[in-house]
Every structure is written in C-alpha cells, then in structure tokens.
Amino acid sequence: MSDPSVTQDLIHGGEGPAASVVSSSNRPRSLWQDTWDILRHRKIFWISFIMLILFLLMAAFPSLFTHKNPDYATLAKSMDPPSGEAWFGYDLQGRDVFARTIYGARTSIIVGVLATLVTVILGGVAGVLAAYYARWVDSILSRIGEIFLGVPYVLGAIIILGTVAPAQSSPDRVTIMAVVIIVLAVLGWPILMRIARSSVIQAKHQDYVQAARALGAGPFRIIFKHLLPNSLAPILVYSTITIGSYIGAEATLSLLGIGLREPVISWGIAIADHTSYIRTGAHAMLFPAAFLSLCVLTFVMLGEAVRDALDPKLR
C-alpha cells in the first residue's frame, strides 16, 4: 500500500515534504553537470588541469619562478652546461636558459590562445551562418572554406609570412606576434567552421528551436539563445586541442625562420637558435623543447578528457 502522507500531498497539489522530495529527485541534470561529475573522477583531467595552471602561472607571473633577466647576456658563459648557478645552463649568447624558458611560456601561450580565439570567431560565425541560413549562404561559405583547406598548412604559412613579414625585416614584438596569430587563424578556421556548421544543423531541427520560431523569435535570439548554447560542446573540445596545436605550429614556423623572431622570447625561437649546437650545447635546445612538448601535451590531454566526458556514447 502507498504511504498515506504521499497520497495526501499529491491530492492537495503536491504540497508538503514528500512532494519536495519527489520534485527534487526528478529534476533534470544539465549536460555540463554530468560532464563535471565525470571529469572530477578522472586522473587525466586533474593531471592536465594542474599542468595547465602551472603553465598559466609561468605566462602570467614569470617572476615567481625566476628573478633573472632573460635578455641579460654574458658572452664569457656562452653554452656553459647546467649548474647550481644556472639550472638549465646558458645559451649561445650567454643568457640564462631557465629564465628564457620561463619567459618563453608567455609568448607561446599567448599566440596559441589568441590564434584559437580568432579561429573560433571566424569559423564559428561562418559555421553558424552557413547552417542557419543554408542554401546559397551555405554554398558560398563552404566553397570558401574548401579553398583554404586545399592549401597545405605549412606551405600557406610560409607564403603568407614570407610576403607580409619576410625574414629580412625587423618588425617589433607586437607586430610579428599579430602577424603569426592572424596567419594561424586564417589557415585554421575552415575546420572549426565545419564543426560548428554540423552542430548547428543538428540543433536547429530540434523541437525547442521549432517552438521558438513558432512563437515569433527572431534569428538573433534563436542563434544566441538556443543554437549556440547547444552546439558549444564540440567547439569547446576542438578549441582546447587547437591551442596546443597552434603552440606547436608557432614553434615549427619559428624553426623554419619565418615565424616569431628576436627580440621576442619563445620556445620556438630558443629551439631554432640552437639546432646547430645539438652536440656542443644540447641543453640550450632540449629544455625549451621539453617545456614545449609538455605544454602541447597538456592541452591535448585536457581536450581529450573533455571530449570523453561530453561524448554521450562513452557516458
């Protein structure tokens, strides 16, 4: 037999303590609550998260890790090995490798984050417009994206950077960083456009979107109130992994001599300056390379953890 108190509460409109228990237990959980419950029980998430915080602290507050000036050079100490005075040794110019590795985190992470942000804006806007308006808008934006996808990434970056900022020029720090960021984003936005387009196409056929349109909601409200919030999961996962990819791409372009350059301090520049001294001073290249690899791995692991938590098949 049923509990009389529960029956009485239901008869009187669901008031009382029993009804509150029923309502609270039947309250639907959001996707992000389920995702967090999965992430907080995964070691790979916490490992990548702690490493991410460490790299962000390096980028924001490098003085917490070293008090040495990364630009101060003593030629008498050129290529000296690691010691108690300099944990990572000295580079070709006699500069402290540890200090330059710590300060290099700022430039590499800024380039990766800003390039990803521009990519999300360009690709996200194009993908949403293509999916929502479809027809000729979708055709034009998709064809433009396919043109950019047809250009090899490194080759396209070499051509653009060689034209806009050739190696013989000496642009200031902000200019060369801005050029590299724009080039990375321009060559990378079509992939995110496809991801955003696919997500919005799936979302716009849902009942809640049809109901909003029937109630007279305009395109702006439908896109920002209903489509984007329900299409963010794949965009977020791809963006997290893309930050690491762009950090590696920046180092590759710097190694080729067409990316960042002095007086900018970055891991890619440190590697590029000492590739010819691998036998006589490997420390000057290996330590920045190790930090670069760990940073890229951090963003990739974090993106993988978020993707697994958001994937309904794995959940």
Side-chain angles (χ1 to χ4, degrees):
M1 296 179 63
S2 61
D3 190 343
S5 61
V6 175
T7 305
Q8 185 177 4
D9 289 331
L10 295 176
I11 293 175
H12 292 285
E15 299 177 355
S20 63
V21 172
V22 173
S23 61
S24 62
S25 62
N26 292 333
R27 184 177 300 169
R29 293 172 56 85
S30 68
L31 173 64
W32 303 107
Q33 288 175 324
D34 291 337
T35 301
W36 170 244
D37 286 341
I38 295 174
L39 286 176
R40 66 191 182 95
H41 292 99
R42 296 204 170 182
K43 294 181 180 179
I44 188 174
F45 168 73
W46 288 112
I47 293 174
S48 59
F49 181 76
I50 293 173
M51 291 175 63
L52 175 62
I53 295 299
L54 183 62
F55 281 115
L56 291 179
L57 286 175
M58 286 184 191
F61 308 104
S63 58
L64 293 177
F65 300 87
T66 179
H67 297 290
K68 294 185 178 181
N69 184 352
D71 293 319
Y72 180 77
T74 304
L75 289 177
K77 299 179 179 180
S78 176
M79 304 302 283
D80 281 0
S83 62
E85 180 185 4
W87 294 351
F88 291 177
Y90 294 90
D91 65 1
L92 184 63
Q93 303 297 327
R95 298 170 297 193
D96 188 275
V97 175
F98 179 76
R100 293 186 66 81
T101 301
I102 295 298
Y103 277 86
R106 172 179 295 177
T107 301
S108 297
I109 291 177
I110 286 177
V111 170
V113 171
L114 292 184
T116 301
L117 181 61
V118 177
T119 300
V120 169
I121 294 174
L122 293 178
V125 170
V128 170
L129 293 178
Y132 185 80
Y133 290 102
R135 298 182 181 179
W136 62 270
V137 176
D138 186 13
S139 298
I140 293 177
L141 291 176
S142 296
R143 299 298 83 76
I144 295 175
E146 289 172 358
I147 293 174
F148 280 91
L149 284 175
V151 179
Y153 198 90
V154 176
L155 178 60
I158 291 175
I159 295 174
I160 297 175
L161 288 172
T163 303
V164 177
Q168 296 78 12
S169 62
S170 300
D172 58 84
R173 300 188 181 191
V174 177
T175 301
I176 188 59
M177 287 178 62
V179 171
V180 172
I181 289 170
I182 293 173
V183 168
L184 293 175
V186 166
L187 295 174
W189 70 269
I191 298 177
L192 196 136
M193 183 198 75
R194 289 190 168 189
I195 295 174
R197 176 180 174 274
S198 176
S199 300
V200 173
I201 287 177
Q202 293 179 2
K204 79 172 187 177
H205 294 297
Q206 300 298 321
D207 293 338
Y208 57 85
V209 176
Q210 303 298 331
R213 187 178 288 110
L215 292 173
F220 185 86
R221 180 177 178 80
I222 291 176
I223 291 174
F224 287 94
K225 184 71 175 179
H226 302 287
L227 294 181
L228 279 181
N230 292 282
S231 306
L232 283 179
I235 296 176
L236 176 63
V237 173
Y238 179 78
S239 300
T240 306
I241 298 176
T242 300
I243 294 176
S245 300
Y246 280 159
I247 292 175
E250 173 270 313
T252 302
L253 295 176
S254 298
L255 182 63
L256 295 174
I258 58 172
L260 301 179
R261 65 198 70 165
E262 299 286 354
V264 178
I265 303 174
S266 78
W267 294 326
I269 295 176
I271 297 171
D273 289 343
H274 299 91
T275 52
S276 301
Y277 302 91
I278 187 66
R279 293 185 178 181
T280 58
H283 62 275
M285 184 190 73
L286 293 181
F287 284 112
F291 273 67
L292 172 66
S293 300
L294 284 175
C295 187
V296 173
L297 181 62
T298 296
F299 284 102
V300 172
M301 288 194 307
L302 184 62
E304 293 286 344
V306 174
R307 184 198 64 182
D308 294 344
L310 287 173
D311 192 338
K313 295 180 181 179
L314 297 177
R315 291 188 291 114

